[in-house]
Amino acid sequence: MATVAPTRVRGGRGLGVLLLVLALLVGLAAYALVGIGFAGTVPADVAEYGLGMAVLSFGAWAVVRWRAPDADPVILPTVVALNGIGLAMIYRLDLSYEARGRAHGFADKQLAWTAISMVLAMLLLIVLRDHRTLRRYTYTAMVASLLLLLMPLVPGIGHTVNGAQIWVRIGPAGLQPAELAKITLAVFFAGYLVTNRDTLALAGRSVLGLRLPRARDLGPIIVVWAASLAVLVLQSDLGTSLLLFGLFVAMLYLATERVSWVLIGLTLFAGGAAVVATVVPHVRARFDVWLHAMDDDVFNRAVGGSGQLVRGLFGMASGGLFGTGWGEGRPYLVPYAESDFIVASLGEELGLTGLLAILVLVTILVHRGMRAAIGVRDGFGKLLAGGLAFLIALQVFVVVGGVTRLIPLTGLTTPFLAYGGSSLLANWLIVALLLRISDDARRPAPAMRATAPTPDGGIPSVVGGPSLVPAEQGRDDQHGDDQPTQALGRVR
Amino acid sequence: MSELTVGLLRLGYLALLWLLVLSSIAVLRRDLYGTRIVDRRRNRTGGAPAAAPAPTPAPARRSKTAGPTRLVVTEGPLRGTVLPLGAAPVLIGRSPGCTLVLDDDYSSSRHARLFLDGDQWFVEDLGSTNGTFLGDQRVSGPLPLGTGTPVRIGQNVLELAR
């Protein structure tokens, strides 16, 4: 319980460009070092690759300056750096796969997806002038999320890969719709909670210092819990299930400030996961691998053994503090080193020092999202930015925790690093939304600019927007509680 | 390429990575360390309103320098909060859309409004359940509000300050 007196981060513009150059350099140097580590020379197309990335990144920077001039200067460089590191590692693994005659060509696809994602994210930034517009589509977003989550179950377009039915294949393009559902769900939760948070926060009895909600207010959390369990059972996808439920509980906590919701959520999830883990064999195998990874029979199991996990651990161990260097290690020994286990690959070649730098970059990104949530003035924006930032943090925690055997391994992708088009696209869209909200958060306070004189009679009016709704009229209408902020926001 | 060069490149890359991290943090320095946080639960010993500075220079649009420039919460859960005053009216209440959002069970969602008429600020109750008090007097119609006069809204006491 503290109030934050906002200070404005100034002069981010010039420094933002500097950071972006540095971020590009990080990606480019990685690419060049892969070539040096592998063939002893810098790759021939390093200039073209660098030029392409520079055009994309500075194009994105220009769009941000144009459409969201007050947006956070640190978000874009951080993401460009993470994306560049991921691309370099995938390229490096590609070279190894090619030398061993295994399936390769991941790097080209990932590069194409990077370009597509950046362009689409910037389009979103251009089209979406104000994040509050999204609030109008609260329930549309809910329907869209359900459709996206159910798509892989539709026969014909659904597709099962390695036991998890989370893919949709339309023509040549494969997509994991659950990745996009994350965003629509965050929009839905934010819109729903900003309208209903008072009931969820204030009603109920106090027991041992905890404010417990009334039984009938438990409805929404039960519904989301059931939906996430359905994802777990029907699609055998532990990761998405955890992400979906975690997102809801976190946003519920953001909206109500009641610790009791977090405790209820954790209890529900632990109970649900325990039951599912004993019933569904695919999930039980994951728990087995986590708890008894070093057992011989678990390691040698043909399907669902701990070989991948243990090899990843050995890889990171051989990397040590400073890593083997780009292209010098053997991350290709781990199955799915380019997607699920890219963290282990990076840990092997960059060592603990490099991996920690990457994790700090992710932390900075999450921090900027949370900061935008604190700074923005409307409740919907706060919840959306906080939820999206938490989503990135939770996803990275689940992946890194899985790879380092802190929690059971799930099939989630590492944001921006791992191979996977849908994940890259979804995360770039999240970045576009965070940029949009941070632009609103860091814009100079509108109250200082409002020069509208108060007319006689004391009913205030605002230039360029609808007049403020008098309290007596606005009280019960559903969007009423954001109205004054909205009206003030238009004064520019 | 010699082993030494490769080793230097390897460490150089890590240095570059951390250079990016540290310069990002340097850009954020003011945001990380410059944010003032006023603990609302702290005992009322220090002069809280004085500790919280006006974050932005008040607009000297109305050339009358004697007018109040800040709204300060002096008592209650939000103690220490400072709101710069412009020409726009200030809506106070529990609703998230208010200019000053109170987390207080004793205030209404749209509780009261402060507005500027000419050079004089007025306080007006918006039909709240528990009322707005100017000193001991319950506010019914718009009343002129001078600098330093405490206004009680639920558990919070506010006043205008220069």
Short mmCIF file of all heavy atoms in Angstrom, two decimals, chain A residues 1-5 8-9 22 26 30 74 81 197 323-326 350 353 360 367-368 371 448 454 458 460 471 480-481 484-485, chain B residues 1 10 13-14 17-18 20-21 23 28 30-32 34-40 59 61 81 89 95-97 103 110 113 115-116:
data_model
loop_
_atom_site.label_atom_id
_atom_site.label_comp_id
_atom_site.label_asym_id
_atom_site.label_seq_id
_atom_site.Cartn_x
_atom_site.Cartn_y
_atom_site.Cartn_z
N MET A 1 0.85 -1.19 0.00
CA MET A 1 0.00 0.00 0.00
C MET A 1 0.88 1.24 0.00
O MET A 1 1.28 1.74 1.04
CB MET A 1 -0.89 -0.01 1.24
CG MET A 1 -1.91 -1.11 1.23
SD MET A 1 -3.02 -0.91 -0.15
CE MET A 1 -4.49 -0.37 0.66
N ALA A 2 1.21 1.69 -1.14
CA ALA A 2 2.03 2.89 -1.22
C ALA A 2 1.63 3.67 -2.45
O ALA A 2 1.12 3.09 -3.41
CB ALA A 2 3.51 2.52 -1.28
N THR A 3 1.82 4.95 -2.39
CA THR A 3 1.53 5.74 -3.58
C THR A 3 2.84 6.01 -4.30
O THR A 3 3.87 6.20 -3.68
CB THR A 3 0.88 7.08 -3.22
OG1 THR A 3 1.64 7.67 -2.19
CG2 THR A 3 -0.53 6.87 -2.77
N VAL A 4 2.78 5.99 -5.61
CA VAL A 4 3.97 6.22 -6.40
C VAL A 4 3.86 7.60 -7.02
O VAL A 4 2.93 7.89 -7.74
CB VAL A 4 4.09 5.16 -7.50
CG1 VAL A 4 5.28 5.46 -8.38
CG2 VAL A 4 4.20 3.79 -6.90
N ALA A 5 4.80 8.45 -6.68
CA ALA A 5 4.84 9.76 -7.32
C ALA A 5 5.60 9.61 -8.63
O ALA A 5 6.77 9.25 -8.64
CB ALA A 5 5.54 10.76 -6.42
N ARG A 8 9.09 11.43 -14.77
CA ARG A 8 9.08 11.15 -16.19
C ARG A 8 10.49 10.80 -16.64
O ARG A 8 11.44 11.50 -16.33
CB ARG A 8 8.58 12.37 -16.92
CG ARG A 8 8.29 12.11 -18.35
CD ARG A 8 7.46 13.26 -18.90
NE ARG A 8 7.73 13.42 -20.31
CZ ARG A 8 7.39 12.53 -21.22
NH1 ARG A 8 6.80 11.42 -20.87
NH2 ARG A 8 7.68 12.73 -22.48
N VAL A 9 10.61 9.69 -17.37
CA VAL A 9 11.90 9.36 -17.95
C VAL A 9 12.07 10.21 -19.19
O VAL A 9 11.31 10.09 -20.14
CB VAL A 9 11.98 7.87 -18.30
CG1 VAL A 9 13.32 7.56 -18.91
CG2 VAL A 9 11.76 7.04 -17.08
N LEU A 22 23.02 -0.84 -30.52
CA LEU A 22 23.71 -1.82 -29.69
C LEU A 22 23.01 -3.19 -29.78
O LEU A 22 23.66 -4.23 -29.89
CB LEU A 22 23.69 -1.32 -28.24
CG LEU A 22 24.86 -1.69 -27.35
CD1 LEU A 22 26.16 -1.29 -28.00
CD2 LEU A 22 24.72 -1.00 -26.00
N VAL A 26 24.42 -6.77 -31.14
CA VAL A 26 24.41 -8.03 -30.39
C VAL A 26 23.98 -9.18 -31.29
O VAL A 26 24.63 -10.23 -31.34
CB VAL A 26 23.48 -7.91 -29.15
CG1 VAL A 26 23.14 -9.27 -28.60
CG2 VAL A 26 24.13 -7.06 -28.09
N ALA A 30 26.62 -12.03 -32.94
CA ALA A 30 26.36 -13.44 -32.71
C ALA A 30 26.39 -14.20 -34.02
O ALA A 30 27.00 -15.27 -34.12
CB ALA A 30 24.99 -13.60 -32.04
N VAL A 74 13.07 1.80 -24.34
CA VAL A 74 13.89 0.62 -24.05
C VAL A 74 13.25 -0.67 -24.60
O VAL A 74 13.95 -1.64 -24.87
CB VAL A 74 14.12 0.52 -22.53
CG1 VAL A 74 15.01 -0.65 -22.19
CG2 VAL A 74 14.74 1.79 -22.02
N ALA A 81 17.18 -7.25 -29.59
CA ALA A 81 18.35 -8.02 -29.14
C ALA A 81 17.98 -9.48 -28.88
O ALA A 81 18.66 -10.40 -29.35
CB ALA A 81 18.94 -7.40 -27.88
N ARG A 197 -14.55 -5.52 -10.94
CA ARG A 197 -13.61 -5.75 -9.86
C ARG A 197 -14.14 -5.35 -8.49
O ARG A 197 -13.73 -5.91 -7.48
CB ARG A 197 -12.30 -5.04 -10.14
CG ARG A 197 -12.39 -3.55 -10.19
CD ARG A 197 -11.00 -2.99 -10.17
NE ARG A 197 -10.88 -1.79 -10.96
CZ ARG A 197 -9.72 -1.32 -11.34
NH1 ARG A 197 -8.63 -1.98 -11.08
NH2 ARG A 197 -9.65 -0.21 -12.04
N GLY A 323 30.67 -20.19 -20.91
CA GLY A 323 30.21 -20.85 -22.12
C GLY A 323 31.33 -21.32 -23.01
O GLY A 323 32.49 -20.97 -22.83
N THR A 324 30.95 -22.11 -24.01
CA THR A 324 31.95 -22.63 -24.93
C THR A 324 32.21 -21.65 -26.07
O THR A 324 33.16 -21.79 -26.81
CB THR A 324 31.45 -23.94 -25.55
OG1 THR A 324 30.20 -23.66 -26.20
CG2 THR A 324 31.24 -25.01 -24.51
N GLY A 325 31.37 -20.65 -26.22
CA GLY A 325 31.49 -19.74 -27.35
C GLY A 325 30.55 -20.16 -28.47
O GLY A 325 30.22 -21.34 -28.59
N TRP A 326 30.11 -19.17 -29.29
CA TRP A 326 29.18 -19.46 -30.38
C TRP A 326 29.77 -20.51 -31.32
O TRP A 326 30.90 -20.35 -31.79
CB TRP A 326 28.90 -18.19 -31.18
CG TRP A 326 27.94 -17.24 -30.54
CD1 TRP A 326 28.27 -16.08 -29.92
CD2 TRP A 326 26.52 -17.36 -30.46
NE1 TRP A 326 27.13 -15.47 -29.46
CE2 TRP A 326 26.05 -16.23 -29.77
CE3 TRP A 326 25.60 -18.31 -30.90
CZ2 TRP A 326 24.70 -16.01 -29.52
CZ3 TRP A 326 24.27 -18.10 -30.64
CH2 TRP A 326 23.83 -16.97 -29.96
N LEU A 350 26.82 -19.70 -24.30
CA LEU A 350 27.11 -18.38 -23.70
C LEU A 350 27.42 -18.49 -22.22
O LEU A 350 27.83 -17.51 -21.60
CB LEU A 350 25.93 -17.43 -23.91
CG LEU A 350 25.56 -17.14 -25.36
CD1 LEU A 350 24.40 -16.18 -25.43
CD2 LEU A 350 26.76 -16.55 -26.10
N THR A 353 26.97 -16.52 -17.57
CA THR A 353 27.05 -15.07 -17.74
C THR A 353 26.12 -14.61 -18.86
O THR A 353 25.38 -13.64 -18.70
CB THR A 353 28.49 -14.67 -18.09
OG1 THR A 353 29.37 -15.42 -17.27
CG2 THR A 353 28.71 -13.22 -17.86
N VAL A 360 18.13 -11.02 -17.77
CA VAL A 360 17.97 -9.63 -17.33
C VAL A 360 17.27 -8.82 -18.42
O VAL A 360 16.42 -7.97 -18.12
CB VAL A 360 19.32 -9.00 -16.95
CG1 VAL A 360 19.15 -7.53 -16.62
CG2 VAL A 360 19.92 -9.71 -15.76
N HIS A 367 9.64 -5.42 -16.82
CA HIS A 367 9.60 -4.23 -15.96
C HIS A 367 8.99 -3.04 -16.69
O HIS A 367 8.19 -2.30 -16.14
CB HIS A 367 11.02 -3.90 -15.49
CG HIS A 367 11.13 -2.58 -14.83
ND1 HIS A 367 11.65 -1.49 -15.47
CD2 HIS A 367 10.76 -2.16 -13.61
CE1 HIS A 367 11.60 -0.45 -14.66
NE2 HIS A 367 11.07 -0.82 -13.53
N ARG A 368 9.36 -2.87 -17.95
CA ARG A 368 8.82 -1.74 -18.71
C ARG A 368 7.32 -1.90 -18.88
O ARG A 368 6.57 -0.91 -18.86
CB ARG A 368 9.50 -1.60 -20.08
CG ARG A 368 10.95 -1.23 -20.03
CD ARG A 368 11.33 -0.34 -18.91
NE ARG A 368 10.82 1.02 -19.02
CZ ARG A 368 10.75 1.88 -18.02
NH1 ARG A 368 11.15 1.53 -16.83
NH2 ARG A 368 10.27 3.08 -18.19
N ARG A 371 5.78 -1.01 -15.63
CA ARG A 371 5.89 0.44 -15.42
C ARG A 371 4.82 1.17 -16.22
O ARG A 371 4.23 2.15 -15.75
CB ARG A 371 7.29 0.91 -15.83
CG ARG A 371 7.62 2.29 -15.34
CD ARG A 371 7.67 2.31 -13.82
NE ARG A 371 7.82 3.68 -13.30
CZ ARG A 371 6.85 4.56 -13.22
NH1 ARG A 371 5.64 4.24 -13.64
NH2 ARG A 371 7.05 5.77 -12.73
N MET A 448 -2.75 19.09 -17.25
CA MET A 448 -1.94 20.29 -17.34
C MET A 448 -2.22 21.05 -18.64
O MET A 448 -1.88 22.20 -18.77
CB MET A 448 -0.46 19.93 -17.31
CG MET A 448 -0.07 18.97 -16.21
SD MET A 448 -0.62 19.53 -14.62
CE MET A 448 0.45 20.92 -14.42
N THR A 454 -14.06 26.65 -16.64
CA THR A 454 -15.26 26.08 -16.09
C THR A 454 -16.40 27.08 -16.27
O THR A 454 -16.30 28.21 -15.81
CB THR A 454 -15.08 25.80 -14.60
OG1 THR A 454 -13.87 25.10 -14.44
CG2 THR A 454 -16.21 24.99 -14.05
N GLY A 458 -20.73 25.58 -12.78
CA GLY A 458 -19.85 24.53 -12.30
C GLY A 458 -19.87 23.25 -13.08
O GLY A 458 -19.19 22.30 -12.72
N PRO A 460 -18.40 21.20 -15.73
CA PRO A 460 -17.19 21.36 -16.52
C PRO A 460 -17.37 20.85 -17.95
O PRO A 460 -18.18 19.97 -18.19
CB PRO A 460 -16.19 20.49 -15.77
CG PRO A 460 -17.03 19.46 -15.12
CD PRO A 460 -18.37 20.05 -14.86
N ALA A 471 -22.00 12.75 -12.28
CA ALA A 471 -21.94 11.52 -11.53
C ALA A 471 -23.29 10.82 -11.45
O ALA A 471 -23.37 9.60 -11.51
CB ALA A 471 -21.45 11.82 -10.12
N GLY A 480 -19.17 3.60 -17.76
CA GLY A 480 -19.12 4.90 -17.11
C GLY A 480 -17.88 5.09 -16.26
O GLY A 480 -17.37 6.19 -16.18
N ASP A 481 -17.38 4.03 -15.68
CA ASP A 481 -16.33 4.27 -14.71
C ASP A 481 -15.01 4.68 -15.34
O ASP A 481 -14.11 5.09 -14.64
CB ASP A 481 -16.17 3.06 -13.76
CG ASP A 481 -15.74 1.82 -14.51
OD1 ASP A 481 -15.84 1.84 -15.74
OD2 ASP A 481 -15.34 0.85 -13.87
N PRO A 484 -14.44 9.73 -17.40
CA PRO A 484 -13.70 10.98 -17.24
C PRO A 484 -12.28 10.87 -17.75
O PRO A 484 -11.80 11.75 -18.46
CB PRO A 484 -13.74 11.22 -15.73
CG PRO A 484 -14.91 10.46 -15.28
CD PRO A 484 -14.98 9.26 -16.15
N THR A 485 -11.61 9.76 -17.45
CA THR A 485 -10.25 9.57 -17.92
C THR A 485 -10.22 9.59 -19.44
O THR A 485 -9.35 10.18 -20.07
CB THR A 485 -9.70 8.23 -17.44
OG1 THR A 485 -10.29 7.93 -16.22
CG2 THR A 485 -8.21 8.29 -17.33
N MET B 1 42.44 -19.24 -37.15
CA MET B 1 42.42 -18.21 -36.11
C MET B 1 42.95 -18.79 -34.80
O MET B 1 42.64 -19.94 -34.48
CB MET B 1 41.00 -17.71 -35.92
CG MET B 1 40.94 -16.25 -35.56
SD MET B 1 39.25 -15.66 -35.56
CE MET B 1 38.92 -15.55 -37.32
N ARG B 10 34.99 -14.61 -27.68
CA ARG B 10 33.96 -15.22 -26.85
C ARG B 10 33.63 -14.32 -25.65
O ARG B 10 32.47 -14.01 -25.39
CB ARG B 10 34.48 -16.57 -26.36
CG ARG B 10 33.57 -17.32 -25.45
CD ARG B 10 34.04 -18.75 -25.36
NE ARG B 10 35.34 -18.86 -24.69
CZ ARG B 10 35.49 -19.30 -23.42
NH1 ARG B 10 34.43 -19.68 -22.75
NH2 ARG B 10 36.67 -19.37 -22.86
N TYR B 13 32.03 -10.98 -26.71
CA TYR B 13 30.60 -11.04 -26.99
C TYR B 13 29.80 -10.91 -25.69
O TYR B 13 28.80 -10.18 -25.64
CB TYR B 13 30.22 -12.33 -27.72
CG TYR B 13 28.76 -12.32 -28.09
CD1 TYR B 13 28.33 -11.58 -29.18
CD2 TYR B 13 27.81 -12.99 -27.33
CE1 TYR B 13 26.99 -11.51 -29.51
CE2 TYR B 13 26.47 -12.92 -27.65
CZ TYR B 13 26.07 -12.19 -28.75
OH TYR B 13 24.75 -12.10 -29.07
N LEU B 14 30.25 -11.61 -24.66
CA LEU B 14 29.55 -11.52 -23.38
C LEU B 14 29.60 -10.09 -22.85
O LEU B 14 28.61 -9.58 -22.31
CB LEU B 14 30.17 -12.48 -22.37
CG LEU B 14 29.99 -13.96 -22.69
CD1 LEU B 14 30.69 -14.83 -21.67
CD2 LEU B 14 28.52 -14.32 -22.75
N LEU B 17 27.05 -8.08 -24.67
CA LEU B 17 25.71 -8.40 -24.17
C LEU B 17 25.42 -7.62 -22.89
O LEU B 17 24.36 -7.02 -22.73
CB LEU B 17 25.65 -9.90 -23.91
CG LEU B 17 24.30 -10.61 -24.02
CD1 LEU B 17 23.65 -10.29 -25.33
CD2 LEU B 17 24.51 -12.11 -23.89
N TRP B 18 26.40 -7.62 -22.00
CA TRP B 18 26.20 -6.91 -20.73
C TRP B 18 26.23 -5.41 -20.92
O TRP B 18 25.59 -4.68 -20.17
CB TRP B 18 27.23 -7.37 -19.68
CG TRP B 18 26.76 -8.62 -19.02
CD1 TRP B 18 27.16 -9.88 -19.31
CD2 TRP B 18 25.75 -8.75 -18.01
NE1 TRP B 18 26.47 -10.79 -18.53
CE2 TRP B 18 25.61 -10.12 -17.73
CE3 TRP B 18 24.96 -7.84 -17.33
CZ2 TRP B 18 24.70 -10.59 -16.79
CZ3 TRP B 18 24.06 -8.31 -16.39
CH2 TRP B 18 23.94 -9.68 -16.13
N LEU B 20 24.87 -3.90 -23.40
CA LEU B 20 23.49 -3.59 -23.77
C LEU B 20 22.60 -3.55 -22.52
O LEU B 20 21.81 -2.63 -22.32
CB LEU B 20 22.96 -4.62 -24.77
CG LEU B 20 21.48 -4.49 -25.11
CD1 LEU B 20 21.21 -3.22 -25.89
CD2 LEU B 20 20.99 -5.69 -25.89
N VAL B 21 22.78 -4.58 -21.68
CA VAL B 21 21.95 -4.66 -20.47
C VAL B 21 22.18 -3.43 -19.60
O VAL B 21 21.24 -2.76 -19.16
CB VAL B 21 22.29 -5.95 -19.69
CG1 VAL B 21 21.65 -5.92 -18.31
CG2 VAL B 21 21.82 -7.16 -20.46
N SER B 23 23.48 -0.50 -20.38
CA SER B 23 23.06 0.80 -20.91
C SER B 23 21.54 0.92 -20.88
O SER B 23 21.02 2.02 -20.69
CB SER B 23 23.60 1.08 -22.32
OG SER B 23 24.04 -0.07 -22.94
N LEU B 28 17.13 3.74 -17.86
CA LEU B 28 16.00 3.65 -16.94
C LEU B 28 16.35 4.15 -15.54
O LEU B 28 15.54 4.06 -14.64
CB LEU B 28 15.55 2.19 -16.83
CG LEU B 28 15.18 1.53 -18.14
CD1 LEU B 28 14.87 0.08 -17.90
CD2 LEU B 28 13.99 2.23 -18.73
N ARG B 30 16.63 6.86 -13.88
CA ARG B 30 15.74 7.75 -13.15
C ARG B 30 14.44 7.06 -12.78
O ARG B 30 13.84 7.35 -11.74
CB ARG B 30 15.42 8.98 -14.00
CG ARG B 30 16.32 10.12 -13.68
CD ARG B 30 15.73 11.41 -14.20
NE ARG B 30 14.51 11.77 -13.49
CZ ARG B 30 13.67 12.71 -13.92
NH1 ARG B 30 13.92 13.32 -15.03
NH2 ARG B 30 12.61 13.00 -13.23
N ASP B 31 14.01 6.18 -13.65
CA ASP B 31 12.75 5.51 -13.38
C ASP B 31 12.91 4.47 -12.27
O ASP B 31 11.99 4.21 -11.51
CB ASP B 31 12.27 4.84 -14.66
CG ASP B 31 10.77 4.77 -14.69
OD1 ASP B 31 10.14 5.67 -14.10
OD2 ASP B 31 10.23 3.84 -15.28
N LEU B 32 14.10 3.86 -12.21
CA LEU B 32 14.31 2.82 -11.22
C LEU B 32 14.54 3.41 -9.84
O LEU B 32 14.03 2.92 -8.84
CB LEU B 32 15.51 1.96 -11.61
CG LEU B 32 15.31 1.04 -12.80
CD1 LEU B 32 16.62 0.38 -13.17
CD2 LEU B 32 14.28 0.00 -12.50
N GLY B 34 14.45 6.99 -9.15
CA GLY B 34 13.90 8.32 -8.93
C GLY B 34 12.46 8.31 -8.47
O GLY B 34 11.93 9.33 -8.08
N THR B 35 11.82 7.14 -8.53
CA THR B 35 10.42 7.09 -8.15
C THR B 35 10.30 7.24 -6.64
O THR B 35 10.93 6.52 -5.89
CB THR B 35 9.81 5.75 -8.59
OG1 THR B 35 10.09 5.57 -9.96
CG2 THR B 35 8.33 5.75 -8.36
N ARG B 36 9.51 8.19 -6.22
CA ARG B 36 9.31 8.38 -4.79
C ARG B 36 8.11 7.57 -4.36
O ARG B 36 7.06 7.66 -4.95
CB ARG B 36 9.04 9.84 -4.50
CG ARG B 36 10.27 10.61 -4.19
CD ARG B 36 9.94 12.07 -4.24
NE ARG B 36 10.89 12.73 -5.13
CZ ARG B 36 12.08 13.13 -4.71
NH1 ARG B 36 12.44 12.94 -3.47
NH2 ARG B 36 12.90 13.72 -5.54
N ILE B 37 8.29 6.77 -3.34
CA ILE B 37 7.19 5.98 -2.84
C ILE B 37 6.88 6.42 -1.42
O ILE B 37 7.77 6.46 -0.57
CB ILE B 37 7.53 4.48 -2.88
CG1 ILE B 37 7.74 4.06 -4.33
CG2 ILE B 37 6.43 3.66 -2.24
CD1 ILE B 37 8.19 2.66 -4.51
N VAL B 38 5.65 6.81 -1.20
CA VAL B 38 5.25 7.24 0.13
C VAL B 38 4.48 6.09 0.76
O VAL B 38 3.46 5.66 0.24
CB VAL B 38 4.35 8.49 0.05
CG1 VAL B 38 3.98 8.95 1.43
CG2 VAL B 38 5.07 9.59 -0.71
N ASP B 39 5.01 5.56 1.85
CA ASP B 39 4.34 4.44 2.50
C ASP B 39 3.13 4.95 3.27
O ASP B 39 3.26 5.78 4.16
CB ASP B 39 5.31 3.73 3.45
CG ASP B 39 4.75 2.40 3.89
OD1 ASP B 39 3.53 2.21 3.71
OD2 ASP B 39 5.51 1.57 4.37
N ARG B 40 1.97 4.45 2.89
CA ARG B 40 0.75 4.96 3.49
C ARG B 40 0.56 4.45 4.90
O ARG B 40 -0.18 4.99 5.68
CB ARG B 40 -0.45 4.53 2.67
CG ARG B 40 -0.52 5.18 1.33
CD ARG B 40 -1.86 4.89 0.75
NE ARG B 40 -1.74 4.40 -0.60
CZ ARG B 40 -2.62 3.62 -1.16
NH1 ARG B 40 -3.66 3.21 -0.49
NH2 ARG B 40 -2.48 3.23 -2.39
N PRO B 59 1.11 24.92 -13.46
CA PRO B 59 0.95 25.85 -14.57
C PRO B 59 0.63 27.24 -14.05
O PRO B 59 -0.28 27.41 -13.25
CB PRO B 59 -0.25 25.28 -15.33
CG PRO B 59 -1.02 24.53 -14.29
CD PRO B 59 -0.04 24.05 -13.28
N ARG B 61 -0.68 29.48 -15.54
CA ARG B 61 -1.50 30.02 -16.61
C ARG B 61 -2.33 31.19 -16.09
O ARG B 61 -2.44 32.23 -16.68
CB ARG B 61 -2.39 28.91 -17.14
CG ARG B 61 -3.07 29.25 -18.44
CD ARG B 61 -3.78 28.03 -18.97
NE ARG B 61 -2.84 27.00 -19.38
CZ ARG B 61 -2.78 25.80 -18.84
NH1 ARG B 61 -3.61 25.47 -17.86
NH2 ARG B 61 -1.92 24.92 -19.25
N THR B 81 -0.40 11.69 -0.91
CA THR B 81 -0.65 11.83 -2.34
C THR B 81 -0.78 13.31 -2.69
O THR B 81 -1.43 14.07 -1.99
CB THR B 81 -1.95 11.11 -2.71
OG1 THR B 81 -1.88 9.79 -2.22
CG2 THR B 81 -2.15 11.08 -4.21
N PRO B 89 -11.47 20.45 -13.65
CA PRO B 89 -12.05 20.04 -12.37
C PRO B 89 -11.48 18.71 -11.91
O PRO B 89 -11.00 17.92 -12.72
CB PRO B 89 -13.53 19.92 -12.69
CG PRO B 89 -13.61 19.77 -14.16
CD PRO B 89 -12.44 20.47 -14.74
N SER B 95 -14.53 5.31 -7.89
CA SER B 95 -14.54 4.80 -9.26
C SER B 95 -13.17 4.99 -9.91
O SER B 95 -12.52 6.02 -9.70
CB SER B 95 -15.61 5.54 -10.04
OG SER B 95 -15.23 5.64 -11.38
N PRO B 96 -12.71 3.99 -10.67
CA PRO B 96 -11.38 4.10 -11.28
C PRO B 96 -11.27 5.25 -12.27
O PRO B 96 -10.18 5.60 -12.68
CB PRO B 96 -11.18 2.74 -11.96
CG PRO B 96 -12.51 2.11 -12.01
CD PRO B 96 -13.36 2.72 -10.94
N GLY B 97 -12.38 5.82 -12.67
CA GLY B 97 -12.31 6.91 -13.62
C GLY B 97 -12.09 8.27 -12.98
O GLY B 97 -11.91 9.26 -13.67
N ASP B 103 -9.34 4.46 -2.16
CA ASP B 103 -9.59 3.06 -1.82
C ASP B 103 -10.15 3.08 -0.41
O ASP B 103 -9.45 2.85 0.55
CB ASP B 103 -8.28 2.27 -1.92
CG ASP B 103 -8.51 0.80 -1.63
OD1 ASP B 103 -9.67 0.37 -1.68
OD2 ASP B 103 -7.54 0.10 -1.33
N ARG B 110 -18.56 8.17 -7.01
CA ARG B 110 -18.29 9.56 -7.39
C ARG B 110 -18.69 10.42 -6.22
O ARG B 110 -19.87 10.67 -5.99
CB ARG B 110 -19.11 9.95 -8.62
CG ARG B 110 -18.49 9.46 -9.87
CD ARG B 110 -19.24 9.94 -11.07
NE ARG B 110 -18.52 9.60 -12.27
CZ ARG B 110 -18.38 8.35 -12.70
NH1 ARG B 110 -18.96 7.36 -12.06
NH2 ARG B 110 -17.69 8.11 -13.78
N ARG B 113 -16.51 16.83 -6.07
CA ARG B 113 -15.77 17.44 -7.18
C ARG B 113 -15.21 18.79 -6.74
O ARG B 113 -15.87 19.54 -6.03
CB ARG B 113 -16.68 17.63 -8.38
CG ARG B 113 -15.93 18.13 -9.59
CD ARG B 113 -16.78 18.09 -10.82
NE ARG B 113 -17.91 18.97 -10.71
CZ ARG B 113 -19.07 18.75 -11.32
NH1 ARG B 113 -19.25 17.66 -12.02
NH2 ARG B 113 -20.05 19.62 -11.20
N PHE B 115 -13.79 22.27 -8.42
CA PHE B 115 -13.70 22.95 -9.71
C PHE B 115 -13.33 24.40 -9.51
O PHE B 115 -13.49 24.98 -8.43
CB PHE B 115 -14.99 22.80 -10.51
CG PHE B 115 -16.20 23.39 -9.83
CD1 PHE B 115 -16.58 24.69 -10.07
CD2 PHE B 115 -16.95 22.61 -8.96
CE1 PHE B 115 -17.70 25.23 -9.44
CE2 PHE B 115 -18.06 23.14 -8.33
CZ PHE B 115 -18.45 24.44 -8.57
N LEU B 116 -12.81 24.97 -10.58
CA LEU B 116 -12.31 26.33 -10.54
C LEU B 116 -13.34 27.23 -11.20
O LEU B 116 -13.79 26.95 -12.31
CB LEU B 116 -10.98 26.38 -11.30
CG LEU B 116 -10.15 27.64 -11.19
CD1 LEU B 116 -9.75 27.88 -9.76
CD2 LEU B 116 -8.91 27.49 -12.06
#
